[in-house]
Amino acid sequence: MTGINMRLPTSRLLLPFLLLALAAPSKLVADDLGMVNNMGDSPSPYLRLHDDDPVLWQAWEDATLELARESNRLLLVSVGYFSCHWCHVMQRESFKNEEIAARINTHFVPVKVDRELDAALDGRLMNFIHVTRGFGGWPLNVILTPDGYPLVATVYMTPDDFDGFLERVHGHWQEEGDQLRVVTREAARELAELERTRQAPVPDAGLDEMLDRMLNAKRGMADKMSGGFGNQSKFPQAAQLRVLVESMRLRDEPWVREFLTVTLDEMMHRGLRDHLGGGFYRYTEDPEWQVPHFEKMLYDNALLAELYLLAAEALDRDDYRAVGLETVEFMLERMATGRGDFVSSLSAVDDQDVEGGYYLWDKDEVRERVGEEAWAVVEPAWGFDTTPILEHGYLPVQARQPGDVANMLGLETAQVKALLEEARTRLLEARASRVLPVDDKVVVAWNGLTLSALARAAPHDETAARAGAALHERVMAAMWRDGELPRALDAEGVPVGEGELEDYTFVARGLADWASYTNDRDVWEQAAEVALAAWTYFHNEDGWRPTRVPVLPGSPRLVHLEDTPLPSTSATMHEITARILRHTENRELAERAERAERRVTRNLLESPFVHASQILYLHESQN
């Protein structure tokens, strides 16, 4: 997730960060306010994992905030998600530690949040840590005042460091609570003002210039040797890559084609992709795409399936189409609920609490299972002839192409491919006996993205077409009710939470894409209804808000929202609304979209990389 790239304006905004370096005595509090850990009843599998923690976790709700205000206690808001490896580590090391739990229970009101159910809250807290600390990640632990203003934030810490952090923050609150209330309110006001300032129009900025700025920003971040952006951990950043694919219609930039080819090749051949069972992991720890963090997210796989199918057309690559369709097949086999919709993620750790344990292999086991004839090609083709780079075994990757292996061994390429496919089948049979935990909640926004992926795959695959029809029916029957969307469905299909802007945006997008495939006017009308609800609930003349009411005090509306791992919701809503209005005559939707700002603003000028989707939309709408 990308935070705001800005200089801090005053020392007061830095004060929460400086608290980390200070020490003060803490005063023990005698009781725990009668709190009980209530995670066992949560619809979130992630929150239920914390049911037996000694920490007395509360839900993020009005009653919890009122408890903090009445007791004048700081809130410890800990945000994570089911498939997050380091979230599990911190739970094991700190949140199950009786001494640390006692400190939390007697000094704080502890709140556990599933970032996938409270995406807007997570986004706001992540923005805070980016601004005050310059980094982010999960588990995200933020201390808030009883009034709901962020005070200080951190990510994973060792138990000793985390315990000391909690003691120092509580000591300062005991000694300087009144001053810290003032400082946090003022810091929140200044941050909101900064964000509003960055929405100011830039009247002299032309959209051709903005497109050039955006492409130059991407070129500056591009790793031309290994693909992807940056030179540390590598995330697929599907939204950014899609913008580059679509920009090829507007600019003849040879580097774009070269960069996309390197990136898409490396992502599909290296450790980001599961070469046995299909699907992509969330990211790799290294810049060469070798060492993955093993969680598989529905949104990543939906966006990447769509990206590879789109790139297959733009770059004339049949193998990209094959990867896109294989990724769809993976989602249908491993993430479908059987009700038409899809679960949110597969865990990074197996049932033995080993990260990647489900996917890793001992060389001797593989040799025994596939047989000597297949082993002769498996060993060089899948990288078993090297030293394993992961602690718990080998991760099969495409180390050599089948043709190269055939030349090495004096075989026909077709024979090598057949032996590899036979080995793959045998290893998948063996892997089926392993256990991989599943986060079985159904996130509405991500199912909207999946509907888009199925719509793009449907012309090439009848199974995808049938799955798309089933998901469309499920969206309209179980998610879209009385003009509203929930945030998620639980494992029983019961609606959970209030839908956020991204839920409405990506469901509208999915419906529009499905309508394009089916040429069904009724589906276009459904897309128009969802889009109109999004404009009604989340937009006014000042811009967009990710939830109907602010998740934290002072959260401003914004004209243009950033690309994150998901495409910009503001850019997507503008683009999808324009598409819908070409197929429907929804007057109210047209009027709302017409009144919306389409100006170039400072944040587009200053941060073109994270506003790539918005810049592309503005350029295309002008032309």
Side-chain angles (χ1 to χ4, degrees):
M1 182 172 296
T2 304
I4 292 177
N5 180 19
M6 64 176 71
R7 296 283 184 180
L8 301 182
T10 71
S11 60
R12 286 179 293 182
L13 197 54
L14 281 169
L15 182 58
F17 171 55
L18 295 177
L19 283 174
L20 286 170
L22 301 175
S26 76
K27 299 178 180 178
L28 293 177
V29 181
D31 62 72
D32 55 23
L33 305 179
M35 295 183 293
V36 295
N37 183 321
N38 59 15
M39 295 294 98
D41 297 328
S42 173
S44 161
Y46 170 67
L47 297 185
R48 292 199 300 272
L49 289 175
H50 290 269
D51 180 42
D52 60 355
D53 291 357
V55 178
L56 303 177
W57 295 115
Q58 307 296 295
W60 177 262
E61 56 189 10
D62 290 343
T64 301
L65 301 179
E66 183 60 28
L67 178 64
R69 285 191 291 269
E70 289 179 352
S71 63
N72 193 37
R73 282 200 192 180
L74 295 169
L75 292 139
L76 166 62
V77 180
S78 180
V79 185
Y81 59 104
F82 183 87
S83 59
C84 165
H85 169 67
W86 286 105
C87 299
H88 294 294
V89 173
M90 191 160 188
Q91 178 189 22
R92 181 175 65 249
E93 292 180 346
S94 292
F95 299 138
K96 290 190 177 295
N97 181 303
E98 295 285 350
E99 294 182 2
I100 294 176
R103 185 181 300 282
I104 292 172
N105 295 336
T106 55
H107 293 339
F108 300 88
V109 174
V111 180
K112 206 79 183 78
V113 172
D114 183 340
R115 79 173 183 96
E116 297 170 359
L117 288 182
D118 289 288
L121 174 62
D122 171 65
R124 200 68 197 155
L125 296 176
M126 189 63 70
N127 180 60
F128 173 77
I129 192 172
H130 272 288
V131 170
T132 57
R133 306 292 305 279
F135 59 81
W138 297 276
L140 172 61
N141 300 290
V142 186
I143 308 296
L144 279 68
T145 69
D147 303 314
Y149 291 93
L151 174 64
V152 63
T154 187
V155 289
Y156 168 81
M157 283 182 161
T158 64
D160 287 345
D161 288 344
F162 187 58
D163 194 39
F165 164 77
L166 295 173
E167 182 177 7
R168 291 193 299 275
V169 173
H170 170 69
H172 277 282
W173 181 249
Q174 293 293 101
E175 300 294 334
E176 307 167 34
D178 290 342
Q179 179 186 356
L180 292 178
R181 283 182 190 272
V182 174
V183 169
T184 53
R185 285 177 179 270
E186 181 63 17
R189 187 195 65 77
E190 291 181 9
L191 178 57
E193 186 58 34
L194 275 172
E195 292 176 292
R196 281 189 289 266
T197 299
R198 298 181 84 235
Q199 305 297 304
V202 183
D204 298 331
L207 289 172
D208 283 338
E209 176 194 353
M210 289 306 306
L211 185 63
D212 290 337
R213 280 177 173 265
M214 181 266 286
L215 291 173
N216 287 335
K218 289 188 180 298
R219 189 172 188 176
M221 291 284 290
D223 180 343
K224 299 173 183 62
M225 295 296 294
S226 298
F229 298 105
N231 57 8
Q232 296 180 343
S233 298
K234 283 286 178 64
F235 291 80
Q237 300 202 41
Q240 300 288 353
L241 296 176
R242 176 167 181 159
V243 167
L244 283 181
V245 172
E246 294 178 338
S247 75
M248 294 171 65
R249 303 193 308 266
L250 308 173
R251 288 281 192 277
D252 183 14
E253 297 271 4
W255 78 265
V256 171
R257 178 179 291 271
E258 294 168 4
F259 170 71
L260 283 170
T261 300
V262 170
T263 300
L264 295 172
D265 284 355
E266 291 295 295
M267 290 198 308
M268 75 182 192
H269 291 320
R270 304 296 180 186
L272 186 71
R273 181 165 166 249
D274 178 1
H275 292 267
L276 294 183
F280 289 88
Y281 308 113
R282 195 167 75 91
Y283 72 102
T284 63
E285 296 180 9
D286 63 300
E288 286 81 32
W289 306 100
Q290 299 288 348
V291 183
H293 263 305
F294 287 91
E295 59 262 42
K296 289 182 178 177
M297 314 302 296
L298 180 64
Y299 65 81
D300 278 329
N301 283 280
L303 288 169
L304 287 168
E306 193 176 11
L307 172 67
Y308 272 90
L309 291 169
L310 183 67
E313 302 297 328
L315 300 173
D316 192 23
R317 289 282 297 267
D318 290 340
D319 54 343
Y320 289 172
R321 182 176 298 107
V323 169
L325 294 176
E326 288 169 8
T327 305
V328 167
E329 181 182 3
F330 154 74
M331 291 191 292
L332 295 177
E333 289 182 351
R334 293 305 313 275
M335 305 193 83
T337 65
R339 301 184 300 264
D341 48 21
F342 294 78
V343 300
S344 62
S345 67
L346 307 181
S347 179
V349 298
D350 65 7
D351 61 328
Q352 303 301 310
D353 204 30
V354 175
E355 184 183 15
Y358 182 82
Y359 302 102
L360 299 176
W361 297 90
D362 176 78
K363 181 188 290 191
D364 292 337
E365 179 188 4
V366 173
R367 186 171 188 167
E368 179 180 350
R369 288 190 179 277
V370 305
E372 289 300 323
E373 184 181 16
W375 174 249
V377 300
V378 164
E379 185 179 26
W382 290 350
F384 283 90
D385 57 348
T386 62
T387 302
I389 58 177
L390 292 158
E391 177 184 358
H392 297 287
Y394 283 87
L395 177 68
V397 297
Q398 190 167 324
R400 294 177 179 87
Q401 295 290 338
D404 296 331
V405 175
N407 290 334
M408 286 174 57
L409 302 177
L411 302 173
E412 295 294 328
T413 300
Q415 183 181 3
V416 170
K417 288 182 177 180
L419 288 169
L420 289 175
E421 185 58 31
E422 179 184 343
R424 175 178 174 271
T425 299
R426 291 184 179 181
L427 291 185
L428 284 176
E429 289 173 353
R431 206 167 82 173
S433 65
R434 301 176 180 181
V435 177
L436 186 66
V438 177
D439 186 336
D440 57 12
K441 69 177 181 294
V442 173
V443 178
V444 170
W446 303 354
N447 276 260
L449 293 171
T450 303
L451 184 55
S452 291
L454 293 172
R456 188 165 291 277
H460 309 285
D461 185 86
E462 291 184 3
T463 303
R466 291 192 296 271
L471 178 54
H472 166 249
E473 181 179 351
R474 180 68 172 167
V475 166
M476 300 311 299
M479 301 179 193
W480 180 247
R481 296 180 176 181
D482 301 322
E484 296 185 344
L485 289 169
R487 176 59 186 163
L489 305 178
D490 69 12
E492 305 301 321
V494 177
V496 175
E498 186 175 83
E500 300 185 359
L501 172 60
E502 66 179 40
D503 298 296
Y504 288 80
T505 297
F506 297 125
V507 166
R509 179 185 189 261
L511 291 171
D513 290 337
W514 190 248
S516 293
Y517 166 68
T518 59
N519 197 28
D520 188 329
R521 182 175 177 82
D522 289 342
V523 182
W524 281 116
E525 295 293 346
Q526 293 167 352
E529 292 177 10
V530 177
L532 177 58
W535 285 95
T536 302
Y537 299 149
F538 304 103
H539 187 270
N540 68 15
E541 63 276 8
D542 294 324
W544 296 95
R545 178 177 284 150
T547 52
R548 296 198 200 189
V549 296
V551 291
L552 293 177
S555 302
R557 292 181 181 270
L558 302 175
V559 176
H560 301 308
L561 301 174
E562 296 181 358
D563 292 312
T564 66
L566 308 183
S568 161
T569 46
S570 59
T572 302
M573 276 308 308
H574 279 285
E575 188 270 328
I576 290 300
T577 298
R579 284 177 57 196
I580 291 169
L581 291 173
R582 290 195 288 270
H583 295 271
T584 68
E585 297 179 356
N586 191 309
R587 185 182 301 275
E588 187 177 358
L589 178 60
E591 290 175 351
R592 284 187 173 272
E594 184 63 30
R595 291 197 300 268
E597 289 278 4
R598 288 179 172 81
R599 64 180 185 259
V600 174
T601 55
R602 273 187 56 194
N603 57 346
L604 270 62
L605 197 68
E606 295 170 356
S607 306
F609 185 91
V610 296
H611 291 96
S613 296
Q614 192 72 59
I615 291 169
L616 183 68
Y617 163 73
L618 290 172
H619 191 280
E620 291 190 319
S621 65
Q622 184 188 57
N623 295 281

